[in-house]
mmCIF file of all heavy atoms in Angstrom:
data_model
loop_
_atom_site.group_PDB
_atom_site.id
_atom_site.type_symbol
_atom_site.label_atom_id
_atom_site.label_comp_id
_atom_site.label_asym_id
_atom_site.label_seq_id
_atom_site.Cartn_x
_atom_site.Cartn_y
_atom_site.Cartn_z
ATOM 1 N N THR A 409 68.938 134.631 70.230
ATOM 2 C CA THR A 409 69.744 135.471 71.117
ATOM 3 C C THR A 409 71.096 135.758 70.481
ATOM 4 O O THR A 409 71.634 134.939 69.729
ATOM 5 C CB THR A 409 69.947 134.790 72.486
ATOM 6 O OG1 THR A 409 70.700 135.653 73.338
ATOM 7 C CG2 THR A 409 70.663 133.463 72.349
ATOM 8 N N ASP A 410 71.651 136.909 70.807
ATOM 9 C CA ASP A 410 72.998 137.251 70.355
ATOM 10 C C ASP A 410 74.014 137.081 71.480
ATOM 11 O O ASP A 410 75.164 137.517 71.364
ATOM 12 C CB ASP A 410 73.048 138.681 69.798
ATOM 13 C CG ASP A 410 72.490 139.700 70.786
ATOM 14 O OD1 ASP A 410 72.201 139.326 71.950
ATOM 15 O OD2 ASP A 410 72.326 140.872 70.397
ATOM 16 N N ASP A 411 73.592 136.441 72.572
ATOM 17 C CA ASP A 411 74.484 136.156 73.690
ATOM 18 C C ASP A 411 75.359 134.956 73.317
ATOM 19 O O ASP A 411 74.911 133.810 73.332
ATOM 20 C CB ASP A 411 73.673 135.858 74.959
ATOM 21 C CG ASP A 411 74.543 135.812 76.215
ATOM 22 O OD1 ASP A 411 75.677 135.286 76.120
ATOM 23 O OD2 ASP A 411 74.087 136.289 77.277
ATOM 24 N N VAL A 412 76.624 135.224 72.994
ATOM 25 C CA VAL A 412 77.536 134.186 72.517
ATOM 26 C C VAL A 412 77.741 133.098 73.562
ATOM 27 O O VAL A 412 77.824 131.908 73.242
ATOM 28 C CB VAL A 412 78.896 134.799 72.118
ATOM 29 C CG1 VAL A 412 79.869 133.704 71.677
ATOM 30 C CG2 VAL A 412 78.712 135.814 71.009
ATOM 31 N N HIS A 413 77.797 133.480 74.828
ATOM 32 C CA HIS A 413 78.036 132.513 75.898
ATOM 33 C C HIS A 413 76.868 131.527 76.015
ATOM 34 O O HIS A 413 77.068 130.327 76.244
ATOM 35 C CB HIS A 413 78.248 133.238 77.225
ATOM 36 C CG HIS A 413 79.468 134.115 77.238
ATOM 37 N ND1 HIS A 413 80.746 133.602 77.163
ATOM 38 C CD2 HIS A 413 79.600 135.464 77.295
ATOM 39 C CE1 HIS A 413 81.624 134.594 77.191
ATOM 40 N NE2 HIS A 413 80.961 135.731 77.268
ATOM 41 N N VAL A 414 75.653 132.026 75.854
ATOM 42 C CA VAL A 414 74.476 131.167 75.946
ATOM 43 C C VAL A 414 74.437 130.188 74.776
ATOM 44 O O VAL A 414 74.174 128.992 74.950
ATOM 45 C CB VAL A 414 73.180 132.008 76.003
ATOM 46 C CG1 VAL A 414 71.956 131.106 75.904
ATOM 47 C CG2 VAL A 414 73.131 132.830 77.280
ATOM 48 N N VAL A 415 74.708 130.676 73.566
ATOM 49 C CA VAL A 415 74.701 129.814 72.381
ATOM 50 C C VAL A 415 75.785 128.747 72.492
ATOM 51 O O VAL A 415 75.557 127.568 72.179
ATOM 52 C CB VAL A 415 74.904 130.651 71.107
ATOM 53 C CG1 VAL A 415 75.054 129.733 69.889
ATOM 54 C CG2 VAL A 415 73.738 131.606 70.900
ATOM 55 N N LYS A 416 76.962 129.135 72.966
ATOM 56 C CA LYS A 416 78.055 128.183 73.116
ATOM 57 C C LYS A 416 77.715 127.123 74.163
ATOM 58 O O LYS A 416 77.979 125.922 73.975
ATOM 59 C CB LYS A 416 79.334 128.912 73.512
ATOM 60 C CG LYS A 416 80.554 128.012 73.597
ATOM 61 C CD LYS A 416 81.807 128.813 73.932
ATOM 62 C CE LYS A 416 83.030 127.901 74.026
ATOM 63 N NZ LYS A 416 84.260 128.677 74.352
ATOM 64 N N ALA A 417 77.113 127.550 75.263
ATOM 65 C CA ALA A 417 76.731 126.606 76.309
ATOM 66 C C ALA A 417 75.642 125.654 75.826
ATOM 67 O O ALA A 417 75.592 124.483 76.222
ATOM 68 C CB ALA A 417 76.264 127.363 77.547
ATOM 69 N N ALA A 418 74.757 126.140 74.949
ATOM 70 C CA ALA A 418 73.650 125.319 74.455
ATOM 71 C C ALA A 418 74.139 124.169 73.578
ATOM 72 O O ALA A 418 73.497 123.110 73.524
ATOM 73 C CB ALA A 418 72.671 126.178 73.671
ATOM 74 N N ALA A 419 75.266 124.349 72.911
ATOM 75 C CA ALA A 419 75.779 123.319 72.009
ATOM 76 C C ALA A 419 76.038 122.004 72.731
ATOM 77 O O ALA A 419 75.864 120.922 72.161
ATOM 78 C CB ALA A 419 77.054 123.814 71.332
ATOM 79 N N GLU A 420 76.443 122.083 73.998
ATOM 80 C CA GLU A 420 76.754 120.876 74.769
ATOM 81 C C GLU A 420 75.523 119.986 74.966
ATOM 82 O O GLU A 420 75.628 118.763 75.040
ATOM 83 C CB GLU A 420 77.331 121.281 76.127
ATOM 84 C CG GLU A 420 77.698 120.115 77.020
ATOM 85 C CD GLU A 420 78.240 120.558 78.373
ATOM 86 O OE1 GLU A 420 78.459 121.786 78.547
ATOM 87 O OE2 GLU A 420 78.423 119.690 79.246
ATOM 88 N N PHE A 421 74.343 120.617 75.049
ATOM 89 C CA PHE A 421 73.120 119.874 75.345
ATOM 90 C C PHE A 421 72.229 119.688 74.114
ATOM 91 O O PHE A 421 71.160 119.097 74.211
ATOM 92 C CB PHE A 421 72.329 120.612 76.437
ATOM 93 C CG PHE A 421 73.142 120.887 77.671
ATOM 94 C CD1 PHE A 421 73.710 122.138 77.883
ATOM 95 C CD2 PHE A 421 73.364 119.892 78.601
ATOM 96 C CE1 PHE A 421 74.476 122.383 79.009
ATOM 97 C CE2 PHE A 421 74.121 120.128 79.738
ATOM 98 C CZ PHE A 421 74.692 121.382 79.945
#
Side-chain angles (χ1 to χ4, degrees):
T409 182
D410 53 8
D411 191 321
V412 178
H413 296 293
V414 172
V415 174
K416 184 177 180 180
E420 180 181 352
F421 306 99

